[in-house]
Amino acid sequence: MKWCAWIATLSLLVSGCSMDIALPSKTTNKITNTPPSVLKLQRISSAPNETLKEIYQQDLQPGDLLLSSTISLTSVGIRLFSTSAVSHVAIYIGQGEVAEAVGSGVQIVTLEEVMQHSDKLLALRFPELTTAQAASIREFAHSKSGKGYNYKGIIEMAPFMVTKQLCSLNPFSKEFRQQCIKGLAASQLSTPDGNKANYFCSEFVLAAYEHAGTPLTQASPGWVSPADLLHMREGDVATLAPTMPLSYVGHIKPGIYLKARRLATL
């Protein structure tokens, strides 16, 4: 157990990301007669299991989450700050349209515009989203078009993204991590007043799903970053527990890093 805790702590300090350590009780090490430890780290790469799947617009469905990054200093800074491969999230709402909250406010743009402005663009899917729920998300997006950007929320989010890593110091308990983050959020972030007028990107996505009656997580939308949504995918270690793990659909644009890595293996 001591070496497990030492490796967990060292990995956390190096990676700055969440991890889970499970100790199965039914299987044992034949030499030491002790149960094996299963160490599971968050996946920093946007391609799960190091497997890249390239997709096209026709592969998307209304309600799909579009996570992206650019090569701008702002995007690079956000990714470094959150130890993540993405810095922005939007929603594909069908008919070639994407809804997102950016610095100028909530807007509806074409998928082609999003592709032009992104270096990397991938899609995750809520597995049981119904046609009616997808339509509700689209209605919500259009009703919020033109609303402002939540600068106060994103300023508060910056230090919270750092301090919540402290909650991963106990990798043996998912429940501890959730309660710890909840406590930090209550002390560091503003409490929603129910009259939401402004959104930052991930907050908007969470609010749209809540409006459709199918929340992505029980955490408040103002607590969630694009990195948190990326880690809600199947097989990853979620910082904030999802109501249901998100499915990886594929990359519309793989980005310069994944392109370079793929060329290096040819």
Side-chain angles (χ1 to χ4, degrees), residues 30-58:
K30 294 181 179 180
I31 298 176
T32 63
N33 198 35
T34 58
S37 298
V38 179
L39 175 63
K40 189 175 181 182
L41 294 169
Q42 275 186 342
R43 297 169 179 169
I44 304 302
S45 174
S46 61
N49 297 322
E50 305 302 318
T51 301
L52 173 66
K53 178 183 178 183
E54 294 195 58
I55 59 172
Y56 303 93
Q57 177 176 336
Q58 57 265 33

Side-chain angles (χ1 to χ4, degrees), residues 75-117:
S75 176
V76 171
I78 292 172
R79 282 179 279 151
L80 288 173
F81 208 61
S82 60
T83 321
S84 175
V86 298
S87 57
H88 181 65
V89 63
I91 315 176
Y92 182 70
I93 58 174
Q95 301 178 27
E97 292 183 328
V98 175
E100 61 180 354
V102 294
S104 57
V106 178
Q107 61 182 15
I108 309 295
V109 296
T110 65
L111 179 61
E112 287 75 16
E113 289 178 89
V114 173
M115 292 178 65
Q116 289 175 5
H117 298 150

Side-chain angles (χ1 to χ4, degrees), residues 17-265:
C17 60
S18 299
M19 65 180 75
D20 285 329
I21 295 180
L23 297 174
S25 58
K26 294 184 179 180
T27 57
T28 60
N29 185 302
K30 294 181 179 180
I31 298 176
T32 63
N33 198 35
T34 58
S37 298
V38 179
L39 175 63
K40 189 175 181 182
L41 294 169
Q42 275 186 342
R43 297 169 179 169
I44 304 302
S45 174
S46 61
N49 297 322
E50 305 302 318
T51 301
L52 173 66
K53 178 183 178 183
E54 294 195 58
I55 59 172
Y56 303 93
Q57 177 176 336
Q58 57 265 33
D59 297 310
L60 295 177
Q61 295 179 8
D64 283 351
L65 277 61
L66 299 178
L67 293 111
S68 62
S69 65
T70 70
I71 57 174
S72 70
L73 289 177
T74 300
S75 176
V76 171
I78 292 172
R79 282 179 279 151
L80 288 173
F81 208 61
S82 60
T83 321
S84 175
V86 298
S87 57
H88 181 65
V89 63
I91 315 176
Y92 182 70
I93 58 174
Q95 301 178 27
E97 292 183 328
V98 175
E100 61 180 354
V102 294
S104 57
V106 178
Q107 61 182 15
I108 309 295
V109 296
T110 65
L111 179 61
E112 287 75 16
E113 289 178 89
V114 173
M115 292 178 65
Q116 289 175 5
H117 298 150
S118 303
D119 169 59
K120 178 192 307 164
L121 184 64
L122 67 138
L124 298 181
R125 179 172 297 159
F126 188 79
E128 296 184 1
L129 190 70
T130 67
T131 301
Q133 289 168 338
S136 181
I137 288 173
R138 178 179 176 85
E139 178 272 328
F140 175 86
H142 278 278
S143 72
K144 299 298 182 180
S145 181
K147 293 292 186 181
Y149 188 76
N150 185 9
Y151 284 101
K152 179 183 177 183
I154 205 66
I155 291 171
E156 290 181 342
M157 173 67 79
F160 175 66
M161 289 169 65
V162 175
T163 57
K164 72 180 181 182
Q165 297 296 347
L166 296 172
C167 297
S168 298
L169 291 174
N170 180 354
F172 299 96
S173 174
K174 298 177 184 179
E175 291 73 19
F176 170 84
R177 182 163 65 236
Q178 301 305 310
Q179 291 300 318
C180 176
I181 291 175
K182 183 177 180 180
L184 285 176
S187 64
Q188 290 185 267
L189 303 178
S190 299
T191 302
D193 59 9
N195 297 311
K196 195 65 184 173
N198 304 316
Y199 302 89
F200 54 81
C201 66
S202 47
E203 183 181 31
F204 173 73
V205 170
L206 270 290
Y209 266 80
E210 281 193 353
H211 175 81
T214 178
L216 295 174
T217 176
Q218 295 304 313
S220 171
W223 300 1
V224 183
S225 70
D228 294 327
L229 288 171
L230 177 66
H231 296 310
M232 289 183 190
R233 60 191 167 178
E234 292 176 327
D236 209 337
V237 177
T239 304
L240 294 164
T243 54
M244 182 177 296
L246 302 174
S247 301
Y248 170 66
V249 181
H251 281 66
I252 302 174
K253 292 183 72 175
I256 57 174
Y257 171 73
L258 290 177
K259 286 181 181 177
R261 192 177 69 184
R262 182 173 54 186
L263 290 173
T265 60

